[in-house]
Amino acid sequence: MSVTDLPALNAALNFISAVLLSFGYANIRLGKQNIHKRFMIAALVSSALFLTSYLIYHNEVGSVPYPYQDWTRTVYLIVLIPHVILAAVMVPFILVMVWWAFTARFDRHRRIARWVWPVWMYVSISGVTVYLMLYVR
């Protein structure tokens, strides 16, 4: 594996995170707290692996410009800009949400999870979209 393989790995990790987040959500709605916890820990690990791989890639390669100058550039930027902003903002909120769950402050965990979970899903799915638009055509 080389640094050129990392964007595909990053997209896969984002996709895996979205799937795990979905299963975690479904299981908490079914009242299966232990299964929910396992899926959410797996989503956290997948997202942490993504972040590590992402930082390694961009440390080596730098910024990658969008290669097309057609109408898709506007769509790309509409997806990319909120993706980047929300991804950066989400990290401390995810850590607080996880901390409240592990310290059994479930009322606080639930309150913040209602906002954090959908944004985490958006970041994961839009990350795959950014990859597809930038590297697959």
Side-chain angles (χ1 to χ4, degrees), residues 103-114:
T103 57
R105 295 181 185 157
F106 297 116
D107 57 329
R108 291 182 177 194
H109 171 77
R110 274 190 299 274
R111 199 171 332 134
I112 194 171
R114 290 188 174 141

Side-chain angles (χ1 to χ4, degrees), residues 15-16 21-22 30-31 34 41 47 53 55 59 61 63 74-75 82 88 94 97-98 100-101 104 106 113 133:
F15 178 77
I16 290 166
L21 287 166
S22 296
L30 294 171
N34 286 332
I41 290 170
S47 291
S53 176
L55 292 173
N59 183 58
V61 174
S63 181
T74 302
V75 174
I94 290 170
M97 182 180 65
V98 169
W100 284 341
F106 297 116
M133 292 187 77

Side-chain angles (χ1 to χ4, degrees), residues 53-113:
S53 176
Y54 175 87
L55 292 173
I56 290 168
Y57 176 74
H58 285 287
N59 183 58
E60 293 294 319
V61 174
S63 181
V64 179
Y66 190 69
Y68 310 107
Q69 298 300 321
D70 57 7
W71 64 271
T72 64
R73 180 178 179 76
T74 302
V75 174
Y76 174 75
L77 292 173
I78 288 170
V79 174
L80 178 67
I81 292 169
H83 168 80
V84 170
I85 293 168
L86 292 172
V89 169
M90 287 304 298
V91 174
F93 287 102
I94 290 170
L95 295 175
V96 167
M97 182 180 65
V98 169
W99 175 254
W100 284 341
F102 276 102
T103 57
R105 295 181 185 157
F106 297 116
D107 57 329
R108 291 182 177 194
H109 171 77
R110 274 190 299 274
R111 199 171 332 134
I112 194 171

